[in-house]
Amino acid sequence: MKLTFFQDTDTPVAVGSFSYDESTPYEAIFPSRSVGTPPLEIKASDKWFVVQDFAVNLLRLSWNLSQARVGDRGTRLSPFLSAPFDRHQLQVVTASFSPFGSEEPNLWGNGAFGNIRTPPNLVIFGNSDGPG
């Protein structure tokens, strides 16, 4: 799948791509650590697929899947996923700390590539809704 990054609505400044194998949907159950909270489940019928390749070239800098991060407040629990038949294009399941000290699995539509504390890095913002 091709990616295009724009400076404004009309000026492309970067290109990229990612690929996935749509023959095998991703399936997993991520248990909740809180009593009474259901697990986060991704079913084959959700049609989410593991991203196998990711590449972006922006301002003569390059990023790839080996540089993927989820931030400094969570732990990545799943590979990066694509939902090509849904509006949620790139997602990852993370465990992030709640104000009450528990780690809860959640879908995260934001991804960082490179060192998130030291620029330059690439951050992709998305919608964090996901399968129910």
mmCIF file with all atom_site columns, all heavy atoms in Angstrom, residues 83-99:
data_model
loop_
_atom_site.group_PDB
_atom_site.id
_atom_site.type_symbol
_atom_site.label_atom_id
_atom_site.label_alt_id
_atom_site.label_comp_id
_atom_site.label_asym_id
_atom_site.label_entity_id
_atom_site.label_seq_id
_atom_site.pdbx_PDB_ins_code
_atom_site.Cartn_x
_atom_site.Cartn_y
_atom_site.Cartn_z
_atom_site.occupancy
_atom_site.B_iso_or_equiv
_atom_site.pdbx_formal_charge
_atom_site.auth_seq_id
_atom_site.auth_comp_id
_atom_site.auth_asym_id
_atom_site.auth_atom_id
_atom_site.pdbx_PDB_model_num
ATOM 1   N N   . ALA A 1 83 ? -5.631  -2.798 8.896  1.00 0.00 ? 83 ALA A N   1
ATOM 2   C CA  . ALA A 1 83 ? -7.032  -3.159 8.693  1.00 0.00 ? 83 ALA A CA  1
ATOM 3   C C   . ALA A 1 83 ? -7.476  -2.523 7.380  1.00 0.00 ? 83 ALA A C   1
ATOM 4   O O   . ALA A 1 83 ? -8.066  -1.452 7.367  1.00 0.00 ? 83 ALA A O   1
ATOM 5   C CB  . ALA A 1 83 ? -7.880  -2.669 9.857  1.00 0.00 ? 83 ALA A CB  1
ATOM 6   N N   . PRO A 1 84 ? -7.168  -3.157 6.267  1.00 0.00 ? 84 PRO A N   1
ATOM 7   C CA  . PRO A 1 84 ? -7.411  -2.518 4.964  1.00 0.00 ? 84 PRO A CA  1
ATOM 8   C C   . PRO A 1 84 ? -8.880  -2.292 4.631  1.00 0.00 ? 84 PRO A C   1
ATOM 9   O O   . PRO A 1 84 ? -9.185  -1.457 3.803  1.00 0.00 ? 84 PRO A O   1
ATOM 10  C CB  . PRO A 1 84 ? -6.765  -3.476 3.972  1.00 0.00 ? 84 PRO A CB  1
ATOM 11  C CG  . PRO A 1 84 ? -6.735  -4.782 4.666  1.00 0.00 ? 84 PRO A CG  1
ATOM 12  C CD  . PRO A 1 84 ? -6.578  -4.470 6.124  1.00 0.00 ? 84 PRO A CD  1
ATOM 13  N N   . PHE A 1 85 ? -9.792  -3.012 5.282  1.00 0.00 ? 85 PHE A N   1
ATOM 14  C CA  . PHE A 1 85 ? -11.211 -2.868 4.979  1.00 0.00 ? 85 PHE A CA  1
ATOM 15  C C   . PHE A 1 85 ? -11.921 -1.999 6.001  1.00 0.00 ? 85 PHE A C   1
ATOM 16  O O   . PHE A 1 85 ? -13.131 -1.965 6.060  1.00 0.00 ? 85 PHE A O   1
ATOM 17  C CB  . PHE A 1 85 ? -11.865 -4.251 4.892  1.00 0.00 ? 85 PHE A CB  1
ATOM 18  C CG  . PHE A 1 85 ? -11.149 -5.150 3.928  1.00 0.00 ? 85 PHE A CG  1
ATOM 19  C CD1 . PHE A 1 85 ? -10.403 -6.228 4.381  1.00 0.00 ? 85 PHE A CD1 1
ATOM 20  C CD2 . PHE A 1 85 ? -11.178 -4.888 2.572  1.00 0.00 ? 85 PHE A CD2 1
ATOM 21  C CE1 . PHE A 1 85 ? -9.722  -7.043 3.486  1.00 0.00 ? 85 PHE A CE1 1
ATOM 22  C CE2 . PHE A 1 85 ? -10.492 -5.692 1.674  1.00 0.00 ? 85 PHE A CE2 1
ATOM 23  C CZ  . PHE A 1 85 ? -9.771  -6.769 2.134  1.00 0.00 ? 85 PHE A CZ  1
ATOM 24  N N   . ASP A 1 86 ? -11.138 -1.318 6.814  1.00 0.00 ? 86 ASP A N   1
ATOM 25  C CA  . ASP A 1 86 ? -11.672 -0.495 7.886  1.00 0.00 ? 86 ASP A CA  1
ATOM 26  C C   . ASP A 1 86 ? -10.961 0.853  7.820  1.00 0.00 ? 86 ASP A C   1
ATOM 27  O O   . ASP A 1 86 ? -9.914  0.995  7.206  1.00 0.00 ? 86 ASP A O   1
ATOM 28  C CB  . ASP A 1 86 ? -11.393 -1.188 9.234  1.00 0.00 ? 86 ASP A CB  1
ATOM 29  C CG  . ASP A 1 86 ? -12.231 -0.653 10.366 1.00 0.00 ? 86 ASP A CG  1
ATOM 30  O OD1 . ASP A 1 86 ? -12.826 0.434  10.225 1.00 0.00 ? 86 ASP A OD1 1
ATOM 31  O OD2 . ASP A 1 86 ? -12.281 -1.311 11.410 1.00 0.00 ? 86 ASP A OD2 1
ATOM 32  N N   . ARG A 1 87 ? -11.464 1.842  8.501  1.00 0.00 ? 87 ARG A N   1
ATOM 33  C CA  . ARG A 1 87 ? -10.815 3.159  8.494  1.00 0.00 ? 87 ARG A CA  1
ATOM 34  C C   . ARG A 1 87 ? -9.569  3.192  9.357  1.00 0.00 ? 87 ARG A C   1
ATOM 35  O O   . ARG A 1 87 ? -8.811  4.135  9.325  1.00 0.00 ? 87 ARG A O   1
ATOM 36  C CB  . ARG A 1 87 ? -11.794 4.233  8.947  1.00 0.00 ? 87 ARG A CB  1
ATOM 37  C CG  . ARG A 1 87 ? -12.252 4.060  10.377 1.00 0.00 ? 87 ARG A CG  1
ATOM 38  C CD  . ARG A 1 87 ? -13.363 5.060  10.703 1.00 0.00 ? 87 ARG A CD  1
ATOM 39  N NE  . ARG A 1 87 ? -13.907 4.746  12.000 1.00 0.00 ? 87 ARG A NE  1
ATOM 40  C CZ  . ARG A 1 87 ? -13.583 5.383  13.115 1.00 0.00 ? 87 ARG A CZ  1
ATOM 41  N NH1 . ARG A 1 87 ? -12.733 6.372  13.076 1.00 0.00 ? 87 ARG A NH1 1
ATOM 42  N NH2 . ARG A 1 87 ? -14.121 5.030  14.253 1.00 0.00 ? 87 ARG A NH2 1
ATOM 43  N N   . HIS A 1 88 ? -9.311  2.160  10.128 1.00 0.00 ? 88 HIS A N   1
ATOM 44  C CA  . HIS A 1 88 ? -8.145  2.099  11.007 1.00 0.00 ? 88 HIS A CA  1
ATOM 45  C C   . HIS A 1 88 ? -7.005  1.427  10.250 1.00 0.00 ? 88 HIS A C   1
ATOM 46  O O   . HIS A 1 88 ? -6.897  0.220  10.240 1.00 0.00 ? 88 HIS A O   1
ATOM 47  C CB  . HIS A 1 88 ? -8.463  1.310  12.275 1.00 0.00 ? 88 HIS A CB  1
ATOM 48  C CG  . HIS A 1 88 ? -9.797  1.647  12.846 1.00 0.00 ? 88 HIS A CG  1
ATOM 49  N ND1 . HIS A 1 88 ? -10.877 0.832  12.702 1.00 0.00 ? 88 HIS A ND1 1
ATOM 50  C CD2 . HIS A 1 88 ? -10.211 2.708  13.539 1.00 0.00 ? 88 HIS A CD2 1
ATOM 51  C CE1 . HIS A 1 88 ? -11.915 1.381  13.291 1.00 0.00 ? 88 HIS A CE1 1
ATOM 52  N NE2 . HIS A 1 88 ? -11.538 2.525  13.804 1.00 0.00 ? 88 HIS A NE2 1
ATOM 53  N N   . GLN A 1 89 ? -6.175  2.201  9.613  1.00 0.00 ? 89 GLN A N   1
ATOM 54  C CA  . GLN A 1 89 ? -5.189  1.618  8.720  1.00 0.00 ? 89 GLN A CA  1
ATOM 55  C C   . GLN A 1 89 ? -4.009  0.963  9.422  1.00 0.00 ? 89 GLN A C   1
ATOM 56  O O   . GLN A 1 89 ? -3.619  -0.114 9.063  1.00 0.00 ? 89 GLN A O   1
ATOM 57  C CB  . GLN A 1 89 ? -4.691  2.672  7.734  1.00 0.00 ? 89 GLN A CB  1
ATOM 58  C CG  . GLN A 1 89 ? -5.728  2.998  6.681  1.00 0.00 ? 89 GLN A CG  1
ATOM 59  C CD  . GLN A 1 89 ? -6.079  1.780  5.842  1.00 0.00 ? 89 GLN A CD  1
ATOM 60  O OE1 . GLN A 1 89 ? -5.209  1.124  5.292  1.00 0.00 ? 89 GLN A OE1 1
ATOM 61  N NE2 . GLN A 1 89 ? -7.342  1.462  5.737  1.00 0.00 ? 89 GLN A NE2 1
ATOM 62  N N   . LEU A 1 90 ? -3.404  1.597  10.387 1.00 0.00 ? 90 LEU A N   1
ATOM 63  C CA  . LEU A 1 90 ? -2.282  0.993  11.116 1.00 0.00 ? 90 LEU A CA  1
ATOM 64  C C   . LEU A 1 90 ? -2.585  1.036  12.609 1.00 0.00 ? 90 LEU A C   1
ATOM 65  O O   . LEU A 1 90 ? -2.920  2.084  13.141 1.00 0.00 ? 90 LEU A O   1
ATOM 66  C CB  . LEU A 1 90 ? -0.976  1.737  10.850 1.00 0.00 ? 90 LEU A CB  1
ATOM 67  C CG  . LEU A 1 90 ? -0.379  1.575  9.469  1.00 0.00 ? 90 LEU A CG  1
ATOM 68  C CD1 . LEU A 1 90 ? 0.833   2.489  9.301  1.00 0.00 ? 90 LEU A CD1 1
ATOM 69  C CD2 . LEU A 1 90 ? 0.023   0.137  9.203  1.00 0.00 ? 90 LEU A CD2 1
ATOM 70  N N   . GLN A 1 91 ? -2.471  -0.103 13.263 1.00 0.00 ? 91 GLN A N   1
ATOM 71  C CA  . GLN A 1 91 ? -2.745  -0.206 14.689 1.00 0.00 ? 91 GLN A CA  1
ATOM 72  C C   . GLN A 1 91 ? -1.708  -1.112 15.327 1.00 0.00 ? 91 GLN A C   1
ATOM 73  O O   . GLN A 1 91 ? -1.061  -1.914 14.657 1.00 0.00 ? 91 GLN A O   1
ATOM 74  C CB  . GLN A 1 91 ? -4.132  -0.812 14.939 1.00 0.00 ? 91 GLN A CB  1
ATOM 75  C CG  . GLN A 1 91 ? -5.277  -0.001 14.408 1.00 0.00 ? 91 GLN A CG  1
ATOM 76  C CD  . GLN A 1 91 ? -5.650  1.139  15.309 1.00 0.00 ? 91 GLN A CD  1
ATOM 77  O OE1 . GLN A 1 91 ? -5.633  1.034  16.532 1.00 0.00 ? 91 GLN A OE1 1
ATOM 78  N NE2 . GLN A 1 91 ? -5.991  2.266  14.725 1.00 0.00 ? 91 GLN A NE2 1
ATOM 79  N N   . VAL A 1 92 ? -1.590  -1.021 16.636 1.00 0.00 ? 92 VAL A N   1
ATOM 80  C CA  . VAL A 1 92 ? -0.759  -1.930 17.403 1.00 0.00 ? 92 VAL A CA  1
ATOM 81  C C   . VAL A 1 92 ? -1.435  -2.097 18.761 1.00 0.00 ? 92 VAL A C   1
ATOM 82  O O   . VAL A 1 92 ? -2.088  -1.176 19.253 1.00 0.00 ? 92 VAL A O   1
ATOM 83  C CB  . VAL A 1 92 ? 0.699   -1.398 17.539 1.00 0.00 ? 92 VAL A CB  1
ATOM 84  C CG1 . VAL A 1 92 ? 0.754   -0.122 18.347 1.00 0.00 ? 92 VAL A CG1 1
ATOM 85  C CG2 . VAL A 1 92 ? 1.632   -2.454 18.093 1.00 0.00 ? 92 VAL A CG2 1
ATOM 86  N N   . VAL A 1 93 ? -1.340  -3.283 19.347 1.00 0.00 ? 93 VAL A N   1
ATOM 87  C CA  . VAL A 1 93 ? -1.869  -3.491 20.691 1.00 0.00 ? 93 VAL A CA  1
ATOM 88  C C   . VAL A 1 93 ? -0.750  -3.184 21.666 1.00 0.00 ? 93 VAL A C   1
ATOM 89  O O   . VAL A 1 93 ? 0.359   -3.700 21.549 1.00 0.00 ? 93 VAL A O   1
ATOM 90  C CB  . VAL A 1 93 ? -2.381  -4.936 20.899 1.00 0.00 ? 93 VAL A CB  1
ATOM 91  C CG1 . VAL A 1 93 ? -2.865  -5.134 22.330 1.00 0.00 ? 93 VAL A CG1 1
ATOM 92  C CG2 . VAL A 1 93 ? -3.499  -5.250 19.908 1.00 0.00 ? 93 VAL A CG2 1
ATOM 93  N N   . THR A 1 94 ? -1.047  -2.322 22.620 1.00 0.00 ? 94 THR A N   1
ATOM 94  C CA  . THR A 1 94 ? -0.070  -1.956 23.636 1.00 0.00 ? 94 THR A CA  1
ATOM 95  C C   . THR A 1 94 ? -0.642  -2.226 25.016 1.00 0.00 ? 94 THR A C   1
ATOM 96  O O   . THR A 1 94 ? -1.847  -2.373 25.187 1.00 0.00 ? 94 THR A O   1
ATOM 97  C CB  . THR A 1 94 ? 0.298   -0.454 23.560 1.00 0.00 ? 94 THR A CB  1
ATOM 98  O OG1 . THR A 1 94 ? -0.854  0.322  23.882 1.00 0.00 ? 94 THR A OG1 1
ATOM 99  C CG2 . THR A 1 94 ? 0.815   -0.072 22.196 1.00 0.00 ? 94 THR A CG2 1
ATOM 100 N N   . ALA A 1 95 ? 0.229   -2.275 25.990 1.00 0.00 ? 95 ALA A N   1
ATOM 101 C CA  . ALA A 1 95 ? -0.182  -2.289 27.396 1.00 0.00 ? 95 ALA A CA  1
ATOM 102 C C   . ALA A 1 95 ? 0.325   -0.982 27.969 1.00 0.00 ? 95 ALA A C   1
ATOM 103 O O   . ALA A 1 95 ? 1.523   -0.713 27.952 1.00 0.00 ? 95 ALA A O   1
ATOM 104 C CB  . ALA A 1 95 ? 0.425   -3.470 28.137 1.00 0.00 ? 95 ALA A CB  1
ATOM 105 N N   . SER A 1 96 ? -0.598  -0.158 28.422 1.00 0.00 ? 96 SER A N   1
ATOM 106 C CA  . SER A 1 96 ? -0.188  1.112  28.997 1.00 0.00 ? 96 SER A CA  1
ATOM 107 C C   . SER A 1 96 ? -0.692  1.192  30.426 1.00 0.00 ? 96 SER A C   1
ATOM 108 O O   . SER A 1 96 ? -1.718  0.612  30.777 1.00 0.00 ? 96 SER A O   1
ATOM 109 C CB  . SER A 1 96 ? -0.709  2.284  28.164 1.00 0.00 ? 96 SER A CB  1
ATOM 110 O OG  . SER A 1 96 ? -2.104  2.203  28.033 1.00 0.00 ? 96 SER A OG  1
ATOM 111 N N   . PHE A 1 97 ? 0.037   1.903  31.235 1.00 0.00 ? 97 PHE A N   1
ATOM 112 C CA  . PHE A 1 97 ? -0.304  1.992  32.646 1.00 0.00 ? 97 PHE A CA  1
ATOM 113 C C   . PHE A 1 97 ? -1.489  2.922  32.856 1.00 0.00 ? 97 PHE A C   1
ATOM 114 O O   . PHE A 1 97 ? -1.530  4.024  32.321 1.00 0.00 ? 97 PHE A O   1
ATOM 115 C CB  . PHE A 1 97 ? 0.899   2.483  33.466 1.00 0.00 ? 97 PHE A CB  1
ATOM 116 C CG  . PHE A 1 97 ? 1.978   1.463  33.563 1.00 0.00 ? 97 PHE A CG  1
ATOM 117 C CD1 . PHE A 1 97 ? 3.095   1.539  32.753 1.00 0.00 ? 97 PHE A CD1 1
ATOM 118 C CD2 . PHE A 1 97 ? 1.864   0.392  34.431 1.00 0.00 ? 97 PHE A CD2 1
ATOM 119 C CE1 . PHE A 1 97 ? 4.087   0.590  32.825 1.00 0.00 ? 97 PHE A CE1 1
ATOM 120 C CE2 . PHE A 1 97 ? 2.849   -0.570 34.508 1.00 0.00 ? 97 PHE A CE2 1
ATOM 121 C CZ  . PHE A 1 97 ? 3.967   -0.473 33.708 1.00 0.00 ? 97 PHE A CZ  1
ATOM 122 N N   . SER A 1 98 ? -2.456  2.470  33.636 1.00 0.00 ? 98 SER A N   1
ATOM 123 C CA  . SER A 1 98 ? -3.598  3.303  33.988 1.00 0.00 ? 98 SER A CA  1
ATOM 124 C C   . SER A 1 98 ? -3.236  4.135  35.217 1.00 0.00 ? 98 SER A C   1
ATOM 125 O O   . SER A 1 98 ? -2.240  3.855  35.892 1.00 0.00 ? 98 SER A O   1
ATOM 126 C CB  . SER A 1 98 ? -4.810  2.420  34.306 1.00 0.00 ? 98 SER A CB  1
ATOM 127 O OG  . SER A 1 98 ? -4.656  1.822  35.576 1.00 0.00 ? 98 SER A OG  1
ATOM 128 N N   . PRO A 1 99 ? -4.036  5.144  35.529 1.00 0.00 ? 99 PRO A N   1
ATOM 129 C CA  . PRO A 1 99 ? -3.771  5.939  36.740 1.00 0.00 ? 99 PRO A CA  1
ATOM 130 C C   . PRO A 1 99 ? -3.793  5.102  38.019 1.00 0.00 ? 99 PRO A C   1
ATOM 131 O O   . PRO A 1 99 ? -3.274  5.506  39.046 1.00 0.00 ? 99 PRO A O   1
ATOM 132 C CB  . PRO A 1 99 ? -4.895  6.970  36.744 1.00 0.00 ? 99 PRO A CB  1
ATOM 133 C CG  . PRO A 1 99 ? -5.402  7.017  35.347 1.00 0.00 ? 99 PRO A CG  1
ATOM 134 C CD  . PRO A 1 99 ? -5.147  5.659  34.759 1.00 0.00 ? 99 PRO A CD  1
#
